[in-house]
Amino acid sequence: MPVNPPSRPLSCRALRWKRLVSTAIAAVVLAHPAWAQSRSDMRVDALLETGEWLTGDLVGIDVGRWRVGDREVAERTIIAFTASQADNARSGTLDGRIPAGAGVLELWQGQQLPGTVKVQQSGTVWEHRWIGSVPLVIDRVSSLRLRGRKLPERRTDSDAILLANGDVATGFVESLGTDLVYEPSEAPTGENLESARRITLDRVAAVVFAAVASDVDPAARADSMQLTTADGSRVLGRNLRFTSEQPDETKSASATGGWSFELADPELASVRKSDTSDNAAANVVAGVLQASRLRSFAVLGEPTLSVPDGSFHYGFERAYAALEGDARLPQLSRLRLAGPVVADFPLTRSPGDPNGPVVFTAEISLEQPMPADARVELTIRFGSTDSEPIVLDARNPRRRIAVTDPSGAASSLTIRLDDGGNGIAGDTVLLERACLISPAR
């Protein structure tokens, strides 16, 4: 009875041919733009100078050009952005937030570095995850949190030292090492003057320094961007790049994203001279590319409130509240308005502000929970410009808006919130990512 012969293994020549064909097919697939775009697992929200938010897959950043989905824009037209992995399961714990109780060093330029203090024979340094050992130069430090979450209130006449037991000592810090040495603002009443000027570092929770420190090199600031990284660091950077290519098999999944940039602060750059492409903790989660053009709406102060003609609102004086915003982009404000109400926000110009159109942008939504018949109408007057009526209801509870004052000389921005004719239930709206965009210098 005939027996089928066993299948023979592929010869070496056949195996080589199979591998060559597979490699060629993969090269064609990766070279096709549509496939290359689909490989990006990074989502980005980019605020443009027009007030528009550009949302989509981040394909690449190179030589001042950004590719988001099928759209390419110049980096000079982007004011700020946030970025996140589309696959949340791969994002891990590095999401731009600093863990509660972690030590944080804050420099005067708004830079913040999570880490720990370390006393060495050569001096005291701040150990940072991907920068390295940063020398602690007191004149550059805004605040230093060693343990806990609290910071003492900043003073103009002295440094404030928060002790682990909750007490606050005031004076001027002279040195940091095994002990914190300071000159008390008031002469101690005890006999041991030396012990009153020394506090062992393990008894110190935080230090907030008086605002007398020097700034970073102005040339470095002009050529830099404020970047927030996955480990919660906020630094001045330059030469920002991104590639959507996947890492090879030897790299961890957390390295996906291909971010890299260089430190712009000369002191930090002297510690870490290379770019950040080798460390996933330095992957970028948010950034402000043109800080001089972005103005937080919250810094305008309390608005003047009134009730729209023909409406009634008991307790309208409490209709406005400033809320906690996104820690990754503190320049974008979040606030609440309970209607019916008219909120008039004052605007002021600084002597150095350039002339030209100013854009107000925000994302407006009905506050949750809301009744099924919730409906409000909102209008914005910015200088000589009136927005079209914006209607929010249960079907369309959210809108992104941008209103431009062509002259840039407006003295106020007025938001009118009506009740939509269905009573006061559900008349509360949230304004998120609210900010003003100034013209380029």
Side-chain angles (χ1 to χ4, degrees):
M1 182 175 180
V3 179
N4 293 328
S7 59
R8 292 190 306 170
L10 290 175
S11 65
C12 292
R13 178 179 298 178
L15 280 173
R16 283 197 298 269
W17 174 251
K18 183 177 180 180
R19 289 169 182 166
L20 285 172
V21 171
S22 300
T23 302
I25 293 175
V28 171
V29 168
L30 295 181
H32 194 282
W35 284 96
Q37 177 181 334
S38 67
R39 286 165 54 81
S40 176
D41 68 347
M42 191 65 61
R43 297 282 293 177
V44 68
D45 268 359
L47 174 62
L48 306 183
E49 59 185 359
T50 59
E52 171 195 0
W53 282 89
L54 176 60
T55 302
D57 292 332
L58 181 58
V59 180
I61 304 173
D62 191 22
V63 197
R65 305 295 299 179
W66 287 49
R67 183 64 180 266
V68 180
D70 58 358
R71 184 173 171 182
E72 187 174 286
V73 296
E75 188 171 78
R76 57 180 172 79
T77 66
I78 300 175
I79 303 297
F81 71 95
T82 61
S84 60
Q85 286 187 340
D87 184 0
N88 293 329
R90 299 176 65 182
S91 63
T93 58
L94 296 176
D95 58 0
R97 289 178 290 188
I98 298 176
V104 180
L105 170 68
E106 184 177 359
L107 304 179
W108 278 111
Q109 307 81 34
Q111 300 184 99
Q112 65 178 21
L113 306 177
T116 56
V117 67
K118 186 175 181 180
V119 180
Q120 299 179 337
Q121 191 172 11
S122 58
T124 306
V125 298
W126 186 258
E127 287 290 341
H128 184 261
R129 182 169 185 162
W130 49 269
I131 296 179
S133 300
V134 179
L136 271 179
V137 180
I138 292 177
D139 285 347
R140 301 195 69 228
V141 178
S142 171
S143 67
L144 180 66
R145 193 175 71 204
L146 301 179
R147 53 185 58 84
R149 303 185 64 176
K150 293 183 178 180
L151 286 174
E153 184 177 352
R154 190 179 302 279
R155 301 167 61 100
T156 58
D157 59 346
S158 65
D159 304 332
I161 305 164
L162 176 66
L163 304 182
N165 63 2
D167 293 340
V168 176
T170 60
F172 289 100
V173 176
E174 296 178 353
S175 65
L176 280 169
T178 306
D179 295 335
L180 182 150
V181 181
Y182 75 108
E183 183 67 35
S185 55
E186 296 182 1
T189 57
E191 295 182 358
N192 193 340
L193 178 62
E194 184 64 24
S195 64
R197 296 180 62 248
R198 287 183 175 272
I199 306 173
T200 56
L201 208 57
D202 57 6
R203 294 179 52 211
V204 177
V207 183
V208 172
F209 293 84
V212 294
S214 59
D215 201 355
V216 73
D217 181 3
R221 292 203 65 178
D223 190 32
S224 63
M225 50 191 70
Q226 298 176 4
L227 301 175
T228 301
T229 61
D231 68 335
S233 300
R234 187 165 60 240
V235 295
L236 298 179
R238 72 173 112 222
N239 296 334
L240 179 64
R241 295 176 183 269
F242 175 83
T243 174
S244 56
E245 294 180 1
Q246 304 292 321
D248 59 43
E249 295 178 356
T250 63
K251 297 181 181 179
S252 64
S254 62
T256 301
W259 289 101
S260 72
F261 64 91
E262 298 169 8
L263 293 168
D265 184 326
E267 299 294 332
L268 299 183
S270 67
V271 178
R272 183 188 176 98
K273 299 178 175 63
S274 61
D275 67 28
T276 61
S277 58
D278 62 344
N279 200 309
N283 283 349
V284 180
V285 298
V288 179
L289 305 189
Q290 302 186 59
S292 63
R293 300 184 62 185
L294 185 61
R295 188 178 182 188
S296 171
F297 199 65
V299 302
L300 301 181
E302 296 281 335
T304 301
L305 302 178
S306 60
V307 180
D309 294 340
S311 300
F312 174 77
H313 186 167
Y314 176 76
F316 72 91
E317 300 88 352
R318 301 183 296 276
Y320 165 82
L323 307 176
E324 184 177 358
D326 189 341
R328 299 176 302 172
L329 283 179
Q331 296 88 341
L332 304 184
S333 306
R334 185 169 180 261
L335 51 96
R336 177 192 292 118
L337 280 178
V341 70
V342 177
D344 189 58
F345 293 86
L347 300 175
T348 57
R349 282 176 55 86
S350 301
D353 289 346
N355 297 321
V358 176
V359 180
F360 166 71
T361 180
E363 187 168 331
I364 304 175
S365 63
L366 291 172
E367 186 179 43
Q368 302 286 349
M370 61 181 178
D373 64 343
R375 181 185 182 279
V376 299
E377 185 174 300
L378 182 142
T379 56
I380 298 173
R381 183 172 182 81
F382 190 17
S384 59
T385 304
D386 289 312
S387 73
E388 63 178 12
I390 302 165
V391 177
L392 300 177
D393 55 29
R395 288 189 174 184
N396 300 286
R398 183 178 294 270
R399 280 276 302 274
R400 283 179 171 175
I401 59 102
V403 185
T404 302
D405 170 30
S407 68
S411 60
S412 66
L413 186 146
T414 303
I415 300 176
R416 177 187 172 116
L417 180 61
D418 293 309
D419 63 11
N422 67 336
I424 62 173
D427 288 350
T428 301
V429 298
L430 297 178
L431 276 75
E432 300 174 281
R433 292 179 166 181
C435 64
L436 296 172
I437 302 174
S438 303
R441 295 185 180 275

